Amino acid sequence: MAEQLIDIGANLAHNSFDDDRDEVMRRAAAAGVGPIIVTGSSDSSNQRAAELAEAKPGILYSTAGVHPHHASDYSDASDALIRDLASKDVVVAVGECGLDYFRNFSPRDAQLEAFRRQLQIAADTGLPVFLHQRDAHDDFVEVLEPALPKLSRAVAHCFTGEGESLREYLALGLYIGITGWICDERRGQHLYDIVSIIPDDRLLIETDAPYLLPRTITPKPKTRRNEPAYLMEVAKTVAEARGQSIEHVAAITTANAQQFFGLEAA
Ligand SMILES: [Zn+2]
């Protein structure tokens, strides 16, 4: 197939890829997926993601940030590490950062503090922000909105919310990242129904691998681990839901990702 897709969020630093990361990358390339933006979400994964990206120039890029789950660990050293990594060419965004009140693995005040500090890094460096939000919409908007004039670009990654929050994010100027959540007929139907609201120039796609294996893959893979090679499944479902061709969805999401992260056009 001729389409090229860019996976804007794959947790390739995750230890579930330690045994066969090269294989996973080969399958991604064979499936037309690349470049891949490797998500950083903690001090250790930020370091690891940047190392992976530096070893595969032009194929892997990375982000540097602290996920709200790890917000209690956010220290001055975390802040300094993100700033340090942000100066590397392969590090193309700050994040993932944001708020997650679904699990509350870190207390809310720690999440709010870590989120504010990372938005400041994005403002200081000019890098775009890779945002995570779950069950925290109101606080999320309250912190994000005043910071937006100082930010270059921002994406609500793995958007799974309702139409109302989608419209609000779009009005704020956010890009929207869609994962295989949309391929889940049990809990993703609402997303399928509203994904056409997103204008062509704000749509991005991602696997969030190793999480969120698309349920539409046939035959079902032997393991539940998701990987970038399955991104076409997300593109297909998004295309179907938007009434667009796969070629069109591939072209716009690839162009958007290149522009968002400042990547060289292939
Ligand atoms: Zn996330």
Side-chain angles (χ1 to χ4, degrees):
M1 88 198 67
E3 287 82 39
Q4 181 214 1
L5 300 176
I6 297 181
D7 190 347
I8 68 143
N11 300 275
L12 286 186
H14 193 271
N15 58 19
S16 66
F17 293 113
D18 283 352
D19 290 337
D20 63 347
R21 195 169 281 108
D22 285 342
E23 245 337 282
V24 166
M25 288 187 53
R26 260 194 292 278
R27 283 196 291 269
V33 178
I36 297 167
I37 316 293
V38 183
T39 311
S41 55
S42 64
D43 293 356
S44 57
S45 78
N46 288 338
Q47 196 96 56
R48 185 85 186 100
E51 281 165 15
L52 291 172
E54 283 186 317
K56 304 276 182 196
I59 300 172
L60 297 183
Y61 296 87
S62 71
T63 73
V66 172
H67 190 287
H69 288 346
H70 306 299
S72 328
D73 301 329
Y74 197 93
S75 62
D76 289 345
S78 313
D79 203 88
L81 176 63
I82 298 170
R83 287 178 186 275
D84 185 41
L85 292 171
S87 66
K88 293 178 184 283
D89 288 344
V90 293
V91 176
V92 291
V94 173
E96 60 179 299
C97 62
L99 301 174
D100 192 316
Y101 294 173
F102 178 65
R103 295 224 170 81
N104 280 313
F105 285 152
S106 285
R108 292 183 180 192
D109 52 345
Q111 293 192 34
L112 289 161
E113 168 74 5
F115 185 27
R116 285 199 185 93
R117 291 184 70 176
Q118 292 177 83
L119 291 176
Q120 188 58 50
I121 298 175
D124 293 345
T125 59
L127 285 179
V129 204
F130 192 83
L131 298 163
H132 173 106
Q133 188 280 119
R134 195 155 178 207
D135 285 2
H137 178 79
D138 292 351
D139 281 5
F140 179 79
V141 170
E142 196 179 307
V143 173
L144 179 64
E145 193 168 13
L148 282 171
K150 287 170 254 153
L151 300 176
S152 55
R153 293 170 296 285
V155 57
H157 119 92
C158 191
F159 180 83
T160 59
E162 304 292 334
E164 196 184 335
S165 47
L166 180 55
R167 286 192 178 83
E168 199 170 346
Y169 286 176
L170 290 169
L172 289 173
L174 304 190
Y175 287 70
I176 309 293
I178 300 292
T179 60
W181 192 281
I182 197 171
C183 305
D184 187 332
E185 79 289 353
R186 303 163 308 173
R187 56 180 190 175
Q189 185 62 45
H190 72 284
L191 192 55
Y192 188 96
D193 294 339
I194 59 175
V195 74
S196 56
I197 297 172
I198 305 168
D200 273 8
D201 61 0
R202 300 279 196 85
L203 179 67
L204 294 165
I205 54 174
E206 48 176 328
T207 57
D208 206 21
Y211 314 110
L212 300 177
L213 180 72
R215 282 172 57 85
T216 44
I217 298 176
T218 50
K220 282 229 178 311
K222 285 194 249 3
T223 75
R224 291 186 42 77
R225 187 189 69 174
N226 194 9
E227 58 177 72
Y230 299 139
L231 185 60
M232 184 51 83
E233 208 57 35
V234 177
K236 260 193 229 165
T237 308
V238 166
E240 185 188 287
R242 290 167 67 85
Q244 294 173 328
S245 68
I246 294 180
E247 293 76 8
H248 181 78
V249 168
I252 59 171
T253 55
T254 295
N256 291 344
Q258 285 164 342
Q259 194 248 343
F260 184 90
F261 295 105
L263 313 181
E264 299 284 321

